[in-house]
């Protein structure tokens, strides 16, 4: 079982002719290679390799599922993870965001978000199945609530936004963790039980991973953790992703980018190349907007073995 991580393998791009863009508005740097568009439009994609196929899950109605023999497609739509809208009783539950699918103890699990743009009344839900393909998934409902509903008053749920879930197993201890968060107080990590529920959910032993303490707007999201001895790496996206005021592009200096910090412990603290903590606004840029073409990249969450 293999999850795929390819920083910059972009499945959702705004493309425009270079002559139509003013370099004072949008980055024209060529420091980063152009991304692979992937032959399918997918917001917040996650790809899992299983039985010689790649399975792509994306944000959308009931969490669409695609399959391909190659990463660059063509992609065949198989159906959806959920047979109906999520059992989570919140807004926008027909269209979950940012699914993250993993294989854990002989079963497939899909973490998904229920949210609405600009709102903190969000939920990370969980579905599971003994098959990766559509037709046999069980929706277990809420794992984490923010804003309202069960345990939303518990720290750190009371200061965070429950979107962009990412699953990680610490190779040192074998313990599962969940990273999540966007804007507000940043990105957190909570330990999970073997049944993939939040451990000690009334008072979780949470780690604060990424934060912008000195900025009014705090556009960090889309986190993921990986490990390569001897370091743990905390990856995340930074910048304005959506709802732009001009021609579908962010203002120059606010473009989306993929950033990273590392630590020798799964709990942190995570530091960037300049030895700045990710909790102090740090984060080394790994991939940024470029060529006056790539303005909004979502990277593929990955992990496993």
């Amino acid at each position: 079982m293999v999850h795929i991580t390819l920083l910059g393998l972009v499945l959702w791009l705004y493309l425009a002719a270079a002559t139509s863009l003013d370099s004072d508005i949008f980055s024209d740097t060529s420091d980063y290679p152009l991304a692979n568009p992937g032959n399918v439009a997918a917001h917040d994609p996650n790809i899992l390799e299983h039985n010689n196929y790649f399975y792509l899950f994306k944000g959308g109605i009931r969490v669409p599922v695609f399959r391909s023999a190659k990463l660059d497609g063509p992609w065949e739509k198989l159906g959806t993870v959920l047979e109906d809208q999520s059992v989570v009783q919140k807004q926008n539950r027909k269209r979950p965001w940012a699914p993250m699918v993993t294989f854990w103890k002989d079963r497939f699990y899909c973490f998904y978000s229920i949210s609405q743009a600009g709102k903190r009344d969000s939920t990370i839900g969980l579905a599971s199945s003994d098959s990766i393909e559509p037709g046999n998934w069980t929706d277990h409902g809420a794992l984490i609530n923010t804003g309202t509903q069960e345990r939303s008053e518990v720290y750190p749920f009371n200061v965070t936004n429950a979107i962009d879930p990412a699953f990680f197993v610490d190779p040192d201890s074998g313990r599962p963790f969940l990273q999540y968060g966007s804007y507000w107080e940043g990105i957190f990590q909570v330990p999970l039980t073997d049944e993939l529920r939040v451990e000690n959910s009334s008072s979780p032993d949470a780690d604060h991973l990424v934060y912008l303490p000195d900025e009014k707007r705090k556009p960090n999201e889309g986190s993921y953790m990986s490990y390569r001895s001897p370091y743990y790496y905390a990856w995340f996206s930074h910048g304005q992703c959506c709802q732009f005021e001009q021609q579908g592009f962010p203002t120059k200096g606010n473009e989306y980018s993929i950033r990273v910090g590392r630590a020798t412990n799964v709990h942190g603290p995570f530091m960037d190349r300049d030895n700045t903590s990710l909790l102090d606004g740090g984060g080394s840029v790994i991939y940024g907007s470029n060529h006056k073409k790539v303005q909004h990249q979502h990277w593929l969450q990955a992990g496993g073995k």
Side-chain angles (χ1 to χ4, degrees):
M1 186 63 53
V2 179
H3 288 263
I4 304 301
T5 182
L6 296 174
L7 296 179
L9 176 57
V10 179
L11 302 182
W12 185 53
L13 302 178
Y14 288 146
L15 300 179
T19 54
S20 69
L21 296 175
D22 185 341
S23 62
D24 291 333
I25 296 175
F26 184 65
S27 176
D28 59 359
T29 181
S30 59
D31 292 344
Y32 309 102
L34 280 171
N36 180 356
N39 303 105
V40 65
H43 197 135
D44 293 335
N46 173 225
I47 288 180
L48 187 69
E49 184 182 14
H50 176 64
N51 286 347
N52 299 316
Y53 280 100
F54 296 99
Y55 290 83
L56 183 151
F57 302 81
K58 69 169 188 171
I61 302 297
R62 302 192 302 276
V63 186
V65 184
F66 296 78
R67 183 178 66 183
S68 174
K70 300 185 298 181
L71 274 174
D72 57 358
W75 293 92
E76 170 195 9
K77 186 174 181 181
L78 300 179
T80 59
V81 169
L82 303 181
E83 295 184 4
D84 200 348
Q85 60 189 2
S86 169
V87 298
V88 173
Q89 298 297 312
K90 287 189 178 181
Q91 75 290 321
N92 204 25
R93 61 195 183 110
K94 292 182 179 180
R95 191 193 183 284
W97 294 1
M100 200 288 182
V101 178
T102 192
F103 188 68
W104 169 256
K105 295 189 179 297
D106 300 320
R107 193 165 178 83
F108 293 93
Y109 291 88
C110 176
F111 299 89
Y112 63 85
S113 305
I114 297 296
S115 190
Q116 185 175 347
K119 306 294 184 181
R120 201 179 68 81
D121 188 11
S122 306
T123 293
I124 292 174
L126 182 67
S128 70
S129 174
D130 57 9
S131 171
I132 194 171
E133 301 204 6
N136 194 36
W137 288 83
T138 299
D139 187 359
H140 303 288
L143 189 68
I144 292 174
N145 284 305
T146 58
T148 64
Q149 298 190 9
E150 186 178 14
R151 295 188 175 87
S152 60
E153 77 286 355
V154 171
Y155 180 86
F157 312 141
N158 62 342
V159 296
T160 53
N161 191 19
I163 69 169
D164 293 349
F167 178 76
F168 176 72
V169 179
D170 180 4
D172 182 47
S173 65
R175 296 182 67 194
F177 291 87
L178 187 75
Q179 296 85 39
Y180 80 95
S182 174
Y183 286 71
W184 280 274
E185 294 297 302
I187 295 167
F188 279 77
Q189 172 178 261
V190 292
L192 302 177
T193 66
D194 281 353
E195 293 73 34
L196 300 193
R197 300 299 187 269
V198 176
E199 186 176 271
N200 191 18
S201 59
S202 296
S203 182
D205 184 16
D207 300 308
H208 201 179
L209 302 180
V210 181
Y211 186 49
L212 283 167
D214 300 323
E215 302 293 336
K216 183 176 181 180
R217 296 183 72 254
K218 305 177 187 299
N220 289 329
E221 57 188 356
S223 65
Y224 180 74
M225 190 170 292
S226 64
Y227 177 80
R228 184 173 180 178
S229 181
Y231 294 107
Y232 295 84
Y233 293 86
W235 310 84
F236 63 99
S237 294
H238 172 88
Q240 184 176 353
C241 77
C242 322
Q243 300 175 335
F244 308 119
E245 295 180 357
Q246 53 186 15
Q247 299 182 358
F249 294 94
T251 56
K252 193 168 185 177
N254 291 320
E255 300 96 339
Y256 225 48
S257 64
I258 297 167
R259 303 188 178 193
V260 69
R262 70 182 187 182
T264 56
N265 190 292
V266 68
H267 303 289
F270 289 86
M271 315 297 286
D272 67 13
R273 287 194 186 105
D274 298 321
N275 206 35
T276 301
S277 171
L278 300 193
L279 291 175
D280 292 329
S284 299
V285 176
I286 299 300
Y287 190 79
S289 298
N290 59 82
H291 293 83
K292 291 195 280 189
K293 291 180 180 290
V294 180
Q295 69 86 7
H296 181 187
Q297 67 281 341
H298 278 285
W299 58 296
L300 305 186
Q301 298 173 343
K305 58 183 179 179

